[in-house]
């Protein structure tokens, strides 16, 4: 199944269905054009089934600033309504492409580049508009923005634009200043931001919040829990405009597999030896402690990030701890203050060094 768009003029005598009308889709391998009063035509192909579909306009959709799956901000709506599409049957042999037209003059007035237009899909929890860059396509020669490779029609869709000079994904740099600050809008929706090394935040807050992240070199081994060491020689320091604000957030903390290889005994995996720990944002001493330890999930290749769900407060200093894993058929590898790690020290014994890959 495929959708395509056009502006009036291609066939002025064609009767266009209104929002709420039911449109029949016939079976067999062929295409059909269906247009809306919104000037959102559609081309559909279906292999074997006969279905009916209809489209409603939602004039009070979730705010366009609540976008997940991409990075960079701010996102704004390019239409004052969203499209809710429903199909009365499940068609397993459906192939779908949705295109929504944009007005180049309006984009120019708003300061939005055509390459920064998106058709977004409302998430299942209805808390964000989802971007999937692997299925996104902008057809500038026809002034259309697409979602391709779809296998279902049901959903709610919105045309949005991102008001940035850059057109690819936007990654935040570490440090202070306006261009290195993440601005989160308060409300029922979720927003996301990703930093240059892959540190990613998904945040929902009740009121506006700004956030910066810095890197600080040097970790005192005496501040670490017993039988652990820091994977990195640095920490992430997260500062927000309101440290006491309760948030609903998730963090994805990246780890360097190449650094881990030297510490990884044969047969163990990062999921058995990596934990994110935290202490107060302004602490100069004091212990790092694991964050929601039982809830952490290590996402291994190809992502290599540690997922921290259920975060209720963001400010703090964060590190990745390496615990003592077990080698295959052996006992835990013994470590000491001279275990290789972020402080650059050497193996305590030759036998220990031989156990690492």
């Amino acid at each position: 199944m495929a959708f395509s768009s056009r502006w009036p003029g291609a066939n002025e005598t064609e009767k266009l269905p209104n929002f709420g009308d039911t449109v029949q889709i016939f079976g067999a391998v062929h295409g059909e054009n269906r247009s809306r009063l919104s000037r959102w035509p559609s081309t559909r192909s279906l292999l074997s089934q006969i279905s009916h579909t209809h489209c409603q306009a939602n004039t009070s959709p979730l705010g366009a600033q609540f976008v997940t799956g991409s990075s960079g901000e701010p996102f704004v709506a390019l239409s004052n309504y969203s499209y809710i599409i429903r199909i009365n049957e499940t068609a397993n042999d459906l192939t779908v492409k949705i295109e929504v037209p944009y007005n180049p003059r309006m984009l120019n007035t708003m300061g939005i580049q055509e390459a920064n237009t998106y058709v977004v899909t409302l998430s299942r929890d209805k808390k964000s508009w989802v971007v999937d860059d692997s299925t996104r396509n902008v057809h500038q020669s026809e002034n259309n923005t697409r979602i391709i490779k779809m296998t279902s029609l049901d959903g709610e869709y919105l045309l949005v634009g991102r008001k940035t000079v850059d057109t690819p994904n936007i990654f935040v740099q570490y440090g202070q200043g306006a261009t290195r600050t993440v601005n989160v809008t308060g409300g029922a929706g979720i927003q996301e931001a990703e930093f240059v090394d892959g540190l990613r935040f998904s945040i929902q807050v009740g009121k506006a919040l700004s956030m910066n992240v810095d890197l600080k070199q040097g970790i005192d081994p005496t501040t670490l829990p017993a039988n652990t060491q820091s994977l990195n020689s640095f920490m992430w320091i997260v500062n927000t405009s309101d440290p006491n604000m309760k948030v609903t957030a998730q963090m994805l903390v990246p780890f360097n597999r190449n650094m881990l290889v030297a510490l990884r005994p044969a047969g163990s995996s990062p999921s058995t030896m990596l934990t994110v720990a935290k202490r107060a944002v302004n602490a100069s001493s004091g212990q790092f402690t694991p964050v929601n330890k039982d809830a952490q999930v290590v996402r291994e290749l190809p992502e290599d990030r540690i997922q921290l769900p259920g975060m209720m407060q963001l400010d703090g200093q964060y590190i990745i701890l390496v615990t003592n894993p077990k080698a295959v058929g052996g006992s835990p590898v013994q470590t000491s203050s001279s275990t290789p790690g972020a402080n650059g020290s050497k193996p305590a014994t030759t036998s220990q060094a031989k156990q690492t890959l």
Side-chain angles (χ1 to χ4, degrees), residues 68-252:
T68 58
S70 185
S71 57
E73 46 87 22
F75 284 91
V76 296
L78 300 181
S79 172
N80 57 6
Y81 53 83
S82 62
Y83 309 91
I84 300 176
I85 301 178
R86 294 289 180 261
I87 191 167
N88 70 334
E89 298 176 20
T90 300
N92 295 326
D93 50 2
L94 196 64
T95 301
V96 186
K97 176 181 70 176
I98 292 180
E99 292 184 350
V100 179
Y102 56 78
N103 186 327
R105 292 184 178 179
M106 183 184 75
L107 295 182
N108 185 59
T109 301
M110 298 175 67
I112 296 174
Q113 300 185 62
E114 294 181 43
N116 271 335
T117 58
Y118 300 75
V119 180
V120 291
T121 307
L122 188 65
S123 63
R124 290 185 178 183
D125 61 10
K126 303 185 183 302
K127 292 184 177 180
S128 70
W129 296 103
V130 179
V131 170
D132 184 349
D133 284 310
S134 68
T135 60
R136 172 179 173 258
N137 176 255
V138 180
H139 198 179
Q140 291 179 269
S141 63
E142 295 184 359
N143 299 332
N144 289 317
T145 297
R146 299 169 172 163
I147 303 177
I148 60 174
K149 303 178 184 178
M150 300 174 67
T151 58
S152 174
L153 269 179
D154 284 319
E156 185 170 351
Y157 306 91
L158 179 68
L159 180 65
V160 303
R162 190 178 64 194
K163 300 182 70 172
T164 59
V165 175
D166 298 318
T167 55
N169 274 344
I170 305 297
F171 297 97
V172 188
Q173 297 188 69
Y174 291 114
Q176 304 296 314
T179 61
R180 303 185 179 204
T181 298
V182 175
N183 295 300
V184 184
T185 304
I190 298 172
Q191 291 174 265
E192 293 186 329
E194 184 164 335
F195 287 78
V196 290
D197 64 347
L199 179 67
R200 190 176 183 91
F201 295 83
S202 300
I203 306 172
Q204 180 183 1
V205 291
K207 62 180 182 179
L209 184 75
S210 61
M211 177 180 69
N212 296 85
V213 181
D214 284 290
L215 299 178
K216 181 179 179 181
Q217 189 75 18
I219 298 173
D220 183 354
T222 64
T223 64
L224 308 181
N227 299 317
T228 67
Q229 61 189 114
S230 177
L231 177 65
N232 305 311
S233 61
F234 62 87
M235 65 183 75
W236 293 273
I237 303 180
V238 179
N239 286 277
T240 70
S241 56
D242 188 350
N244 297 317
M245 182 186 297
K246 183 178 179 180
V247 304
T248 301
Q250 174 180 277
M251 293 175 62
L252 293 176

Side-chain angles (χ1 to χ4, degrees), residues 14-35:
E14 180 183 1
K15 186 178 185 301
L16 305 182
N18 289 300
F19 285 115
D21 287 352
T22 297
V23 177
Q24 188 173 14
I25 308 171
F26 293 95
V29 182
H30 68 280
E32 292 186 16
N33 288 329
R34 289 292 183 265
S35 302

Side-chain angles (χ1 to χ4, degrees), residues 273-293:
M273 53 193 294
L274 295 182
T275 304
V276 176
K278 176 186 177 182
R279 69 179 182 183
V281 65
N282 294 318
S284 57
S285 60
Q287 291 284 309
F288 284 90
T289 57
V291 183
N292 299 341
K293 183 177 181 179

